[in-house]
Amino acid sequence: FRGYCSRRQRRLRKTLNFKMGNRHKFTGKKVTEDLLTDNRYLLLVLMDAERAWSYAMQLKQEANTEPRKRFHLLSRLRKAVKHAEELERLCESNRVDAKTKLEAQAYTAYLSGMLRFEHQEWKAAIEAFNKCKTIYEKLASAFTEEQAVLYNQRVEEISPNIRYCAYNIGDQSAINELMQMRLRSGGTEGLLAEKLEALITQTRAKQAATMSEVEWRGRAVPVKIDRVRIFLLGLADNEAAIAQAESEETKERLFESMLSECRDAIQAVREELKPDQKQRDYTLDGESGKVSNLQYLHSYLTYIKLSTAIRRNENMAKGLQKALLQQQPDDDSKRSPRPQDLIRLYDIILQNLVELLQLPGLEEDRAFQKEIGLRTLVFKAYRCFFIAQSYVLVKKWSEALVLYDRVLKYADEVNSDSGAFKNSLKDLPDVQELITQVRSEKCSLQAAAILDASDSHQTETSSQVKDNKPLVERFETFCLDPSLVTKQANLVHFPPGFQPIPCKPLFFDLALNHVAFPPLEDKLEQKTKSGLTGYIKGIFGFRS
């Protein structure tokens, strides 16, 4: 915003030709009444004040880690008040209407009050804030409802500062009004936010000096740790604030604040328990089963933390249930809640209940054990109910029906055993309402299962192909296969598989083994008997 004010002021000076010299030399100019023929000259002074105020708010955030910047913060606030007074002086001209004059006076009073607030000059600050509030209330009553909304909004922003100043002056009743303002959806903002938290802590610290012990489940425990005293004193106020909170965001913020304070108190008790680590049993005077006062106080704070966490998750579950009932089936703008989200919340609640049963010092408390057991049954019933709802969404009818029967079983156990614990269980969800809802859901489930079964029987012959068989192997069954009309139709197996076929016959000549040749012994013998004489006869042709 500070950068925006600088850029806006530069544009105005350029448009109005109201330049402060040139590049080489600065020549200061002031807006005078003679220049008020154009109302944009008033914006120049207003942008100066707004820029100084925004810089002060920036330094306010940085001063948390760098305390030296507080001096710069006060300097910028003084500069903002100076520019606001200059604006008010210019608006006293006859050229300015009455409405602008009043707004300038209220603006100057507000910035002056902020400066006095930071200086802790409470009387001067409350006078300035009251003047600003009175002007805005008069303006709101003099104009239309649309314009009055803006003025009333400014009055609401100033009221916490007035109450804070009144408390510091000595008005003790102002703290109650500040606590009520804290319950609003946005809480307090600006300079007052952290001051109000510090004020509440300071007030509880003063009251903590008179607190010596706390009683829980019939046993009085002394409280000597200041941080624990402050937390226990503010416990009732925090619970009342949560009960009176109007919006879910405010409740969530108060739950987180309460849990944070409880964790700090538990940590303080743990630090006191460290010297006693050698005595793990923490027994007193040799009495077995009875823990020390410090350990019992730790159990009490842990009980508060777990109970608060259960209430927070239960509150979130109620919000999700409402959103689940009101959701539109065609609304895709944002992620809609699902039964699985509620199942997760109830799982966390059941885990917290298991931790409650394990608190030291409560092992022999049968009433406590029985009460936690009944609470566990109630939340188990709701968890089973939403598990069944998730099965219904995926059309697993038999599983959902079994879970609905389990819900009725848990609910009947709660009704039969909760006679003596009705007062302590009145903050739990209504089991009778759950039973009625389960019975109606069972009827709807059975009807949906019958309709689904009939639909599946009718479409059995026209079911789609899921076994990837080609068309040539399923001529006997009609099936809808959209792939048959595409370029990748599954008609036959291609390439086809190998099949055994008869080979081409081979002919072998085996008759030669059975042929009987004529004897040649006579020729073989004659050849062997002829010698040199036969050879000579053969030469001369006398061979017979």
Side-chain angles (χ1 to χ4, degrees):
F1 183 68
R2 173 189 167 199
Y4 164 76
C5 292
S6 298
R7 294 190 298 271
R8 178 76 184 278
Q9 192 176 48
R10 189 180 302 114
R11 290 194 298 268
L12 287 170
R13 286 175 178 168
K14 186 176 180 180
T15 304
L16 297 172
N17 197 20
F18 193 77
K19 299 180 180 179
M20 301 292 189
N22 51 33
R23 293 184 180 178
H24 308 289
K25 184 179 179 181
F26 173 78
T27 304
K29 291 183 179 181
K30 290 186 176 181
V31 180
T32 61
E33 294 183 10
D34 298 334
L35 298 175
L36 295 184
T37 53
D38 193 336
N39 57 7
R40 287 178 293 181
Y41 284 102
L42 291 177
L43 291 179
L44 283 173
V45 185
L46 178 62
M47 288 298 109
D48 280 329
E50 287 289 287
R51 182 173 60 176
W53 175 84
S54 60
Y55 195 8
M57 294 301 102
Q58 176 186 345
L59 293 169
K60 176 66 179 178
Q61 295 179 352
E62 297 174 358
N64 294 328
T65 56
E66 301 177 59
R68 290 289 303 173
K69 290 193 174 182
R70 176 170 173 78
F71 299 101
H72 195 185
L73 156 69
L74 297 175
S75 174
R76 300 312 299 177
L77 276 178
R78 282 192 291 269
K79 181 65 73 67
V81 172
K82 180 181 177 182
H83 289 302
E85 290 174 349
E86 179 67 18
L87 178 64
E88 182 181 0
R89 185 186 64 81
L90 291 172
C91 289
E92 291 177 357
S93 172
N94 295 328
R95 299 178 180 179
V96 179
D97 59 356
K99 176 185 175 183
T100 306
K101 290 180 181 180
L102 290 174
E103 288 180 349
Q105 292 176 9
Y107 183 70
T108 305
Y110 175 76
L111 290 181
S112 178
M114 296 291 281
L115 178 61
R116 302 301 179 188
F117 191 93
E118 279 299 308
H119 280 292
Q120 297 185 1
E121 299 175 2
W122 308 118
K123 289 186 178 180
I126 197 172
E127 289 176 2
F129 285 136
N130 280 328
K131 179 181 177 181
C132 178
K133 180 181 178 182
T134 303
I135 294 173
Y136 282 133
E137 287 177 348
K138 295 293 184 183
L139 289 172
S141 61
F143 294 96
T144 60
E145 293 183 359
E146 296 179 357
Q147 294 176 333
V149 171
L150 300 176
Y151 296 120
N152 290 328
Q153 184 178 358
R154 293 293 296 163
V155 171
E156 292 178 0
E157 293 175 1
I158 297 169
S159 296
N161 296 329
I162 296 175
R163 294 302 176 190
Y164 188 84
C165 294
Y167 175 79
N168 284 280
I169 291 173
D171 186 3
Q172 297 297 326
S173 63
I175 185 64
N176 296 326
E177 298 185 15
L178 286 172
M179 292 292 292
Q180 294 296 327
M181 294 176 183
R182 183 172 172 243
L183 298 180
R184 296 176 182 174
S185 59
T188 54
E189 299 177 356
L191 296 175
L192 188 65
E194 57 188 35
K195 290 183 179 292
L196 180 57
E197 295 298 330
L199 174 63
I200 294 171
T201 304
Q202 181 182 0
T203 305
R204 290 174 181 171
K206 291 179 182 179
Q207 298 173 356
T210 61
M211 182 180 183
S212 59
E213 63 180 14
V214 63
E215 185 176 353
W216 180 54
R217 301 200 71 83
R219 177 175 174 178
V221 182
V223 182
K224 301 178 181 180
I225 306 172
D226 292 338
R227 188 181 298 178
V228 179
R229 288 178 178 177
I230 294 172
F231 169 71
L232 292 177
L233 282 172
L235 183 61
D237 294 336
N238 288 330
E239 291 179 350
I242 292 172
Q244 295 174 9
E246 298 178 356
S247 64
E248 297 298 328
E249 292 81 4
T250 306
K251 282 187 178 181
E252 184 65 24
R253 178 171 56 83
L254 293 174
F255 272 126
E256 290 298 332
S257 176
M258 184 174 173
L259 287 173
S260 177
E261 294 176 5
C262 187
R263 283 190 288 265
D264 293 340
I266 291 174
Q267 183 61 32
V269 175
R270 285 176 181 170
E271 292 175 358
E272 294 293 329
L273 282 172
K274 285 181 181 179
D276 299 335
Q277 285 184 353
K278 295 181 180 179
Q279 301 175 356
R280 293 293 183 181
D281 51 351
Y282 300 106
T283 58
L284 287 176
D285 301 327
E287 297 180 9
S288 60
K290 186 175 181 181
V291 298
S292 66
N293 289 331
L294 201 57
Q295 182 63 31
Y296 196 76
L297 180 61
H298 183 272
S299 298
Y300 176 46
L301 294 175
T302 307
Y303 170 80
I304 294 174
K305 186 189 75 169
L306 294 174
S307 300
T308 305
I310 290 172
R311 288 168 55 199
R312 182 194 62 181
N313 291 328
E314 186 180 353
N315 184 67
M316 294 172 61
K318 289 180 180 178
L320 284 176
Q321 289 180 36
K322 291 180 181 178
L324 195 63
L325 294 174
Q326 296 174 359
Q327 69 177 357
Q328 300 294 331
D330 299 332
D331 188 10
D332 298 333
S333 58
K334 59 181 180 179
R335 181 183 177 275
S336 58
R338 301 175 300 170
Q340 288 84 348
D341 301 331
L342 287 158
I343 295 170
R344 175 58 182 163
L345 286 175
Y346 284 115
D347 283 335
I348 297 173
I349 291 174
L350 291 173
Q351 181 61 35
N352 291 335
L353 290 171
V354 172
E355 295 178 12
L356 283 175
L357 291 173
Q358 299 172 356
L359 290 177
L362 299 174
E363 296 86 351
E364 303 299 328
D365 194 340
R366 301 301 178 190
F368 179 78
Q369 302 284 335
K370 184 67 175 178
E371 179 184 343
I372 299 300
L374 290 174
R375 289 177 178 270
T376 303
L377 287 175
V378 172
F379 290 114
K380 277 186 176 181
Y382 273 89
R383 178 178 176 273
C384 282
F385 175 76
F386 288 106
I387 293 176
Q389 292 279 11
S390 64
Y391 276 121
V392 169
L393 293 178
V394 294
K395 296 184 179 181
K396 292 185 177 181
W397 314 116
S398 57
E399 292 87 346
L401 188 60
V402 171
L403 286 169
Y404 281 142
D405 292 335
R406 179 67 61 86
V407 173
L408 294 176
K409 176 185 175 184
Y410 286 144
D412 291 338
E413 291 181 11
V414 172
N415 288 332
S416 61
D417 298 338
S418 64
F421 299 93
K422 287 186 177 180
N423 293 330
S424 59
L425 300 178
K426 61 183 179 180
D427 58 330
L428 291 178
D430 189 7
V431 179
Q432 293 297 331
E433 181 180 351
L434 179 63
I435 292 174
T436 304
Q437 188 174 1
V438 167
R439 288 173 178 170
S440 63
E441 290 290 339
K442 284 182 67 176
C443 297
S444 301
L445 183 146
Q446 292 172 353
I450 294 172
L451 291 175
D452 186 65
S454 61
D455 291 342
S456 61
H457 178 72
Q458 293 176 1
T459 59
E460 182 178 2
T461 57
S462 61
S463 60
Q464 294 185 355
V465 178
K466 295 184 180 179
D467 52 3
N468 295 325
K469 287 185 178 181
L471 181 63
V472 70
E473 296 181 3
R474 48 185 174 85
F475 284 137
E476 293 82 5
T477 305
F478 173 73
C479 297
L480 294 177
D481 190 357
S483 63
L484 293 177
V485 295
T486 62
K487 294 182 179 180
Q488 298 179 352
N490 190 11
L491 302 177
V492 295
H493 289 293
F494 187 82
F498 292 100
Q499 294 182 359
I501 59 174
C503 297
K504 184 178 180 180
L506 298 177
F507 295 97
F508 299 95
D509 190 1
L510 303 178
L512 183 62
N513 296 331
H514 303 280
V515 174
F517 292 94
L520 299 175
E521 290 81 0
D522 53 345
K523 294 182 180 181
L524 291 174
E525 291 177 359
Q526 185 179 2
K527 183 177 181 180
T528 56
K529 291 180 179 180
S530 61
L532 182 59
T533 307
Y535 178 73
I536 295 173
K537 289 181 180 180
I539 293 174
F540 292 100
F542 296 108
R543 178 175 298 179
S544 56

